Amino acid sequence: MTTRPDYALALHGGAGPKPGRDYSEVERHLSDLICEGEAMLKAGHSAVDTVEHMVRELEVSGLYVAGRGSAQNAAGFVETDAAIMDGAAMKAGSIAAVRNLVNPISGARAVMDKTPHIMIAGEGADRFCAERGLETVKDPANWYRLPVGVEEVETKTDELAHGTVGAVAMDKSGRLAAATSTGGLFGKRAGRVGDTPIIGAGTWADSGVAVSCTGLGEYFMLANAAYDIAAQMKYAKCPLGAAASNTLNAIAQYGGDGGLIAIDAEGTIVAPYNSHGMKCASVKAGEPAKVSVFSPN
Ligand code: ASP
C-alpha cells in the first residue's frame, strides 16, 4: 500500500507535436512552469487555483495552440474554448467559441464562480467576459503568433495542425482539479467547438480523478473521454492507468488519436498518448519533475 504524496501536478501542451521539429523552447518552458506549480502546491494553494494559474501561463506564452498561439479558423480569426472543474466542490465552468480573450481559462473560471451556469458560448460569452472585466486582446494582428512546431498554417483537413494546453492537480488536502484551454484546429469552421470545453469530454474532475485531454476533439467527444475514465474507475473499480488506456483505445478505434493527463485520489499520475508525441510535464512530492515531448512521461 503506497502512501498518498502531499501533492501532485501534471501539465500538457498538446498532443500535436510533429517529429523532426525542434521543441526545446517548449521543454524549457514546461520545466520552469512545473517548478512554479510545485511551489504553489507546496505553499498550500488549492488544486483549482493552481491549475488555473498553470493554464494562464501556458496561454500567454504563445508556444502552444491556445491563448496567444491559437489557431485561426477558416474565416481568418481566432476562437478559443476552455474549461475548468473543481472535483472537490463538483463545480465546473466553460466557455466556447470566444474571441480575443487573453486568458480564456479565466473566462471559464468566472462562469464557474460567478454564474449558475456551466457553459457559455459565442457572443454571449464575449459579453460576459467583458462584463467581468477580463483582459481582451487589443491588437489581434500583433498578439497572436504561430506556436512552436507549426511552421505555416496547414489547411488540408486531414492534416489540420492542432493543440491544446491543460493542467491537473491534487493539492495538500487531496482535492483534485482540471483545466484545459485550446485554440482548436487551424482552418476549422467558424463556430466549431471541440472537446475541450465539453465537461466530461475534454475536461473532468471529481473526488476520484482529474483529467485533461488533447487530440482531435471530435473523437474525444464520441468517446466522452474524460468522464469515460472517471466512470470506469467509479463503477468498475478500474485503476487509472488501465482506464486511460481503454479510453485511448476506444478513440483509436473511432479513428482518432491524442493523449491526456490525469491524477487519481492516491496521487497517481498518468500521461498516455497514441499520437506521435505529447508535450507534458509532471511532478509529485518527493520525486523529481519530468518533462517530455516524444517519450512516455
Ligand atoms: N482537442 C482540441 C480540439 O479539438 C485540439 C487538441 O487538443 O489538439 O479543439
Side-chain angles (χ1 to χ4, degrees):
M1 173 101 187
T2 50
T3 48
R4 175 169 78 74
D6 241 16
Y7 55 82
L9 174 68
L11 313 176
H12 75 75
K18 299 198 179 316
R21 299 191 184 171
D22 180 8
Y23 291 95
S24 47
E25 194 181 355
V26 161
E27 284 167 347
R28 280 194 299 278
H29 184 249
L30 286 175
S31 151
D32 289 347
L33 200 56
I34 197 85
C35 291
E36 192 181 329
E38 177 172 29
M40 282 183 76
L41 290 169
K42 247 188 201 162
H45 288 272
S46 68
V48 73
D49 286 348
T50 305
V51 294
E52 182 190 2
H53 181 73
M54 292 290 98
V55 169
R56 285 176 63 91
E57 293 294 316
L58 290 160
E59 287 171 338
V60 294
S61 72
L63 302 177
Y64 316 89
V65 189
R68 191 173 183 192
S70 288
Q72 273 193 1
N73 61 21
F77 58 86
V78 166
E79 286 179 329
T80 57
D81 306 328
I84 190 162
M85 189 156 182
D86 179 340
M90 274 315 272
K91 285 189 343 188
S94 83
I95 53 168
V98 162
R99 292 177 69 169
N100 296 330
L101 201 54
V102 171
N103 284 117
I105 197 63
S106 294
R109 177 84 192 253
V111 173
M112 177 170 88
D113 287 349
K114 308 290 180 196
T115 79
H117 309 306
I118 286 187
M119 185 175 200
I120 305 182
E123 281 174 25
D126 292 338
R127 274 199 301 278
F128 167 72
C129 293
E131 280 163 24
R132 297 296 321 163
L134 297 177
E135 192 183 353
T136 53
V137 175
K138 305 288 173 315
D139 179 6
N142 285 312
W143 172 253
Y144 293 110
R145 49 159 281 179
L146 280 179
V148 172
V150 179
E151 285 159 3
E152 60 194 289
V153 176
E154 290 145 74
T155 49
K156 272 187 20 219
T157 12
D158 55 344
E159 285 171 18
L160 287 180
H162 58 90
T164 291
V165 300
V168 290
M170 184 192 70
D171 62 26
K172 283 182 165 182
S173 307
R175 295 172 297 193
L176 295 163
T180 317
S181 174
T182 190
L185 317 181
F186 283 85
K188 65 188 177 183
R189 289 190 73 100
R192 177 266 185 190
V193 172
D195 61 316
T196 299
I198 310 290
I199 300 303
T203 307
W204 179 262
D206 58 20
S207 58
V209 69
V211 186
S212 170
C213 298
T214 171
L216 277 174
E218 281 68 11
Y219 299 102
F220 282 73
M221 286 190 271
L222 288 177
N224 202 27
Y227 184 70
D228 192 52
I229 293 169
Q232 292 175 69
M233 295 173 69
K234 186 168 164 185
Y235 298 117
K237 308 294 170 214
C238 186
L240 172 58
S245 62
N246 290 338
T247 300
L248 280 183
N249 288 341
I251 287 165
Q253 274 169 17
Y254 304 150
D257 67 4
L260 59 96
I261 51 172
I263 298 181
D264 70 14
E266 272 71 56
T268 311
I269 301 175
V270 298
Y273 56 85
N274 58 11
S275 46
H276 291 301
M278 182 170 74
K279 305 157 207 168
C280 56
S282 63
V283 72
K284 61 168 85 166
E287 292 185 17
K290 299 178 200 166
V291 176
S292 65
V293 174
F294 289 113
S295 56
N297 200 354

